[in-house]
Amino acid sequence: TDRRAWAIAAAKFLTDFVWAFLLFWGPDLFHKRFGLDTAELALPVAAIFLMAACGSLFGGWLSTRLMIKGRSLNASRKIPMLLSALAALPVPLVMLAPNLWVGVLLLGLTLAAHQCFSANVFGLATDLFSPARVGLVVGFGATFGNLSGLGMLELTGFVLHGTGSYLPMLLMCGAAYAFGLLAISLLVPNIDRARDGTVGSTR
């Protein structure tokens, strides 16, 4: 009954499939696009996940830095999310990448964007809910995130069987964070006002 909880769930549903897709299908994408065998995947995959870790740290650092500088909670959460949405947009260009390391950069940037966005979604849960409810809300959101990941894995198999191309899924990944931020903004237009629980709750 609480719009704030649905904001967390919607953000997870609209973005978590990107992580599941790249985690499961990324090696095959590199194999088909750049001809890598299993042994040759180690360094590119390591580089991608190192960039993802940096994205997570950056997302937490940036939101904290904005708060320290006196920005509103709304801006401090949504600015990193907006940067994540912009950073993920170029990922379909992997299909046109002239070499392996350009592809690594594009996929790594996308997973960094995912982690930056995700860090602030989890932060949003702590912003909006009392400590007694945070675990419940995060679990609620994670359920929808897992469902979207499962759906993406099935969809990818279906699309590859029919077309042999990763482009449709990469287009979805590129747009995911923009739609995630849009959903949060529609359900929780102002985080500062929603924080006290008087906005968005039907109870």
Side-chain angles (χ1 to χ4, degrees), residues 26-88:
D28 185 65
L29 171 60
F30 272 120
H31 171 69
K32 291 181 176 176
R33 180 68 185 81
F34 302 107
L36 300 186
D37 61 28
T38 303
E40 293 172 319
L41 286 169
L43 187 57
V45 170
I48 287 169
F49 281 94
L50 179 61
M51 291 179 67
C54 291
S56 184
L57 293 171
F58 176 75
W61 173 85
L62 179 58
S63 61
T64 301
R65 187 67 180 168
L66 290 169
M67 291 178 204
I68 290 172
K69 286 184 170 291
R71 299 299 296 266
S72 68
L73 195 58
N74 194 63
S76 298
R77 290 299 180 201
K78 292 181 180 177
I79 287 174
M81 292 181 183
L82 176 60
L83 292 177
S84 298
L86 295 174

Side-chain angles (χ1 to χ4, degrees), residues 135-191:
L136 175 62
V137 171
V138 169
F140 179 65
T143 300
F144 282 87
N146 289 333
L147 290 173
S148 77
L150 176 62
M152 184 61 159
L153 296 182
E154 293 294 329
L155 176 64
T156 302
F158 177 80
V159 172
L160 288 177
H161 180 73
T163 69
S165 175
Y166 278 102
L167 183 59
M169 285 71 70
L170 291 169
L171 289 170
M172 291 175 62
C173 292
Y177 303 95
F179 282 103
L181 178 56
L182 177 62
I184 290 172
S185 297
L186 291 174
L187 290 164
V188 186
N190 189 300
I191 297 169

Side-chain angles (χ1 to χ4, degrees), residues 1-8 128-129 133 137 140 187-188 194 197 199-203:
T1 60
D2 194 322
R3 288 167 61 94
R4 299 172 303 164
W6 283 106
I8 304 298
L128 295 176
F129 294 95
R133 297 187 66 198
V137 171
F140 179 65
L187 290 164
V188 186
V199 176
S201 177
T202 61
R203 294 187 303 161

